[in-house]
Amino acid sequence: MEQRVFGRTGRLVSVVGQGCWQFGGDWGAVPDATALQILEAALTGGVTLIDTADVYGDGHSETLVGQFLASIGGADANGLTIITKMGRRADPHVSEAYAYANFRAWLDRSRRNLGMDRIHLVQLHCPPTPVYASPQVYEDLDRLVDEGVIEAYGVSVETVAEAAEAMRHEHVATIQIICNVLRRKPLEAVLPAAQALGVGIIARVPLASGLLTGRFTADTTFAPQDHRTYNRHGEAFDVGETFSGVPYEEGVAAGAEVARIAAEVGCTPAQLSLRWLIDQPGITTTIPGASRPDQAVTNAAASGIAPLTPDVLAALKVVYDTYAAPYVATRW
């Protein structure tokens, strides 16, 4: 699989990574044994980046990643880059919680979960907007680097404005932001600046919570504990995290069009959507999730698809303009 420089970390990572939110329960139940099989399938497919967070299952996702790493002899021995996130465990979730003592406590817990003395990269997990502009926050993160707790740090953001603020700080190595066929604002508002500064971009929610797999219909239902049930209107966290902020019915129609285009290209809708991201200048990697090992294999194989032709790119732009732009173009 193609490897790219991971922003200011200098590490090399695969253009398709493995997201591990699914292992935390917010996508329905994924048995632990299946989660470990998914990680094995991703590694076999050439994935070298694994993304998790301390709130996915209140640490369960990190623990499963740690079990997997222990079973294969560790991350470094296998050329893997392990990244996690911190901050959403704060209760209340306020700017004042983003302070050194909490950082250290959260990271010590994550290091135990992952079985790592030094985490490759930690990301602030969509904190309150004022946090991105706080010099003290970055000084505290620099201190954690100096202490050997983390190698580097980045931020996960909800908006392009938050990404722009974070990139003003010279040691921010990466930005994680929602970007996909149905969420295009970062293409012009973030990616050129990141590319110029050498900041890595991690495209998250790359399949729009599964809409871009083309498998859903208007009658598809999801488990009660699945965020695609309980967060459709932003009841629990930012609505843009669920179906990329596109109304479900519009998203289903968009997914059907993407599936039609993918059939003409000769790949799956998920692969087409991931290849679209890989082709965008400035994107380093993308982190699709998986609930079955075969999905991880299919996702990883998107790296081997030829770059998309202008005709295909134009057809996907029509899908965006028709089904998503009216709802997302002026937000986030």
Side-chain angles (χ1 to χ4, degrees):
M1 186 185 297
E2 180 186 352
Q3 308 283 312
R4 292 177 180 169
V5 177
F6 194 38
R8 290 168 170 164
T9 72
R11 301 175 72 93
L12 290 176
V13 297
S14 54
V15 293
V16 178
Q18 181 60 54
C20 298
W21 188 7
Q22 272 88 346
F23 305 165
D26 291 310
W27 297 76
V30 176
D32 291 355
T34 301
L36 296 173
Q37 292 167 356
I38 288 168
L39 291 170
E40 179 62 37
L43 180 64
T44 301
V47 166
T48 63
L49 175 77
I50 296 174
D51 172 271
T52 184
D54 60 2
V55 290
Y56 296 165
D58 194 23
H60 190 63
S61 176
E62 285 184 331
T63 299
L64 287 171
V65 172
Q67 290 178 13
F68 174 71
L69 295 177
S71 74
I72 61 172
D76 293 332
N78 290 274
L80 297 178
T81 294
I82 308 301
I83 65 178
T84 192
K85 310 179 197 74
M86 66 177 180
R88 301 297 295 193
R89 295 182 68 239
D91 185 16
H93 185 236
V94 295
S95 299
E96 291 74 16
Y98 285 74
Y100 174 81
N102 284 336
F103 290 167
R104 185 60 194 254
W106 292 333
L107 285 168
D108 285 349
R109 178 178 183 265
S110 290
R111 290 192 296 164
R112 289 193 297 272
N113 288 344
L114 293 167
M116 298 177 69
D117 292 330
R118 191 180 194 191
I119 296 172
H120 297 141
L121 179 123
V122 70
Q123 303 154 95
L124 301 183
H125 198 173
C126 299
T129 299
V131 170
Y132 297 101
S134 169
Q136 185 60 55
V137 165
Y138 297 102
E139 290 177 17
D140 291 342
L141 291 168
D142 287 336
R143 177 180 173 185
L144 290 161
V145 173
D146 293 340
E147 292 173 346
V149 176
I150 55 176
E151 285 188 10
Y153 59 82
V155 297
S156 184
V157 305
E158 296 288 4
T159 70
V160 298
E162 291 170 346
E165 175 59 43
M167 284 191 288
R168 294 179 58 247
H169 301 271
E170 64 176 340
H171 295 156
V172 171
T174 62
I175 302 287
Q176 185 171 144
I177 190 168
I178 296 175
C179 187
N180 58 49
V181 168
L182 304 181
R183 281 280 292 271
R184 297 180 175 227
K185 195 171 181 179
L187 299 188
E188 295 183 359
V190 175
L191 300 191
Q195 197 170 21
L197 292 168
V199 173
I201 293 293
I202 306 164
R204 63 188 176 90
V205 196
L207 302 179
S209 305
L211 288 175
L212 294 173
T213 66
R215 295 185 292 109
F216 301 160
T217 70
D219 298 324
T220 301
T221 59
F222 305 92
Q225 68 270 31
D226 191 314
H227 75 99
R228 293 171 292 187
T229 295
Y230 68 73
N231 194 59
R232 289 197 181 191
H233 305 289
E235 296 92 333
F237 41 81
D238 192 276
V239 68
E241 301 281 350
T242 301
F243 301 129
S244 295
V246 178
Y248 182 70
E249 294 76 12
E250 296 294 313
V252 167
E257 280 298 296
V258 170
R260 180 187 61 77
I261 297 166
E264 295 176 355
V265 173
C267 63
T268 70
Q271 289 174 330
L272 179 70
S273 301
L274 295 173
R275 184 69 240 185
W276 180 86
L277 282 166
I278 294 168
D279 288 348
Q280 302 305 315
I283 286 183
T284 309
T285 187
T286 182
I287 47 171
S291 56
R292 304 191 310 269
D294 63 290
Q295 292 174 340
V297 171
T298 300
N299 291 341
S303 174
I305 295 172
L308 304 182
T309 66
D311 286 348
V312 172
L313 294 174
L316 291 173
K317 180 62 161 54
V318 171
V319 173
Y320 168 76
D321 289 339
T322 303
Y323 298 104
Y327 305 98
V328 305
T330 59
R331 299 186 67 182
W332 297 291

